[in-house]
Amino acid sequence: MNIVRLLFLEVKRKSLRPYYITILVSTFCSLGFLYLMACIPKIDPYDSDIEMFNSYHFVIGLTMIVMMGIYIIISAIIAAKVLVDEYTGKKVILLFSYPICRKQIISVKIFIIIMSTFLGMMFSGVCIFTLFILTECIYPICIDSITVELIIKIIINLVNCALISGCCGVISGWIGFKYKSIIGTIISSCIIMIAVCQISAIILLSKTTTFLLLMVLGIVMLLVSVSLRNQVEKIEL
């Protein structure tokens, strides 16, 4: 079967409507968080850290880390739905009854996890930061200035964070698949999310370090994907 056709069939078969609603909710929440961070100098002008909150690098970077944490969890939920749940109980019998290569099916599922997370966070991030930058140009809250360099940095970091979230979802899905546990998938994603967000908060989305983090998680994700393909091939009904 054509891989593109298989992809569309999988997306159609596994309804992701609750995921789309979650994206909208997380977008509004993240937008509110961004404006709250930007307004802190106005709310409490005597705060000792007021200079940080007047910086676009800080408020946007902090918001992006929060968004990444949200999407790591969302990605794990998608992995639990399209990967772990599909290969537990009687559902796996139906799945293997299709005249399609097992490795091809699992590869499509991994692609869905990564791309759903990536597109969701990119949509959310573009909406949030475009609106914020436009309102800052009209009625600025921060005393910092918006530059082309800042916008390019936002785009690069957003792409990196979206890909990191997708990779973390696949890794969480692999853990849940190994133990045949949806709860295990969610718990592992929470642990991974805390570790990744902690590292990102320390470096505050340094372009080089974030790229290195993406490279490491990308390699782990590839190894996990190979492991998943091999495990699926060995499943006996």
Side-chain angles (χ1 to χ4, degrees), residues 16-52:
L16 296 177
R17 186 177 178 183
Y19 164 71
Y20 302 139
I21 295 172
T22 305
I23 287 178
L24 292 176
V25 173
S26 67
T27 299
F28 284 112
C29 291
S30 299
L31 182 62
F33 179 83
L34 175 57
Y35 276 105
L36 177 62
M37 292 298 101
C39 288
I40 282 180
K42 307 289 184 184
I43 299 170
D44 186 5
Y46 302 106
D47 192 297
S48 58
D49 298 322
I50 191 171
E51 289 186 9
M52 288 194 305

Side-chain angles (χ1 to χ4, degrees), residues 62-77 117 121 161 164-173 175 184-202 205 213 217:
L62 191 61
T63 302
M64 205 173 293
I65 291 170
V66 171
M67 286 176 61
M68 183 170 63
I70 292 170
Y71 276 91
I72 288 174
I73 303 300
I74 291 175
S75 185
I77 293 171
T117 307
M121 186 166 176
C161 289
I164 286 171
S165 300
C167 290
C168 291
V170 175
I171 296 168
S172 301
I175 295 171
T185 306
I186 307 303
I187 292 174
S188 62
S189 72
C190 291
I191 296 171
I192 293 170
M193 180 268 290
I194 292 170
V196 170
C197 289
Q198 190 68 36
I199 293 170
S200 299
I202 292 171
L205 297 177
L213 180 61
L217 289 171

Side-chain angles (χ1 to χ4, degrees), residues 42-198:
K42 307 289 184 184
I43 299 170
D44 186 5
Y46 302 106
D47 192 297
S48 58
D49 298 322
I50 191 171
E51 289 186 9
M52 288 194 305
F53 290 99
N54 274 321
S55 166
Y56 288 127
H57 172 71
F58 181 80
V59 295
I60 291 176
L62 191 61
T63 302
M64 205 173 293
I65 291 170
V66 171
M67 286 176 61
M68 183 170 63
I70 292 170
Y71 276 91
I72 288 174
I73 303 300
I74 291 175
S75 185
I77 293 171
I78 296 172
K81 181 180 179 65
V82 305
L83 183 64
V84 181
D85 186 51
E86 286 282 279
Y87 288 93
T88 54
K90 295 181 180 180
K91 290 183 180 181
V92 71
I93 300 174
L94 176 62
L95 191 64
F96 286 166
S97 67
Y98 300 150
I100 308 168
C101 174
R102 293 184 180 185
K103 288 185 177 181
Q104 201 174 40
I105 295 175
I106 196 73
S107 297
V108 167
K109 289 180 178 295
I110 291 169
F111 182 78
I112 289 172
I113 295 167
I114 295 172
M115 287 309 297
S116 296
T117 307
F118 177 79
L119 294 176
M121 186 166 176
M122 287 301 296
F123 168 80
S124 186
V126 168
C127 291
I128 291 168
F129 299 124
T130 300
L131 180 60
F132 181 70
I133 290 172
L134 287 175
T135 56
E136 284 297 289
C137 290
I138 298 169
Y139 185 78
I141 301 173
C142 298
I143 60 174
D144 202 356
S145 58
I146 296 172
T147 62
V148 175
E149 184 183 356
L150 174 68
I151 294 172
I152 292 172
K153 189 173 183 179
I154 290 171
I155 294 170
I156 293 172
N157 283 334
L158 183 60
V159 171
N160 285 338
C161 289
L163 290 172
I164 286 171
S165 300
C167 290
C168 291
V170 175
I171 296 168
S172 301
W174 173 74
I175 295 171
F177 182 90
K178 185 176 181 180
Y179 294 101
K180 299 292 186 290
S181 171
I182 291 176
I183 295 175
T185 306
I186 307 303
I187 292 174
S188 62
S189 72
C190 291
I191 296 171
I192 293 170
M193 180 268 290
I194 292 170
V196 170
C197 289
Q198 190 68 36

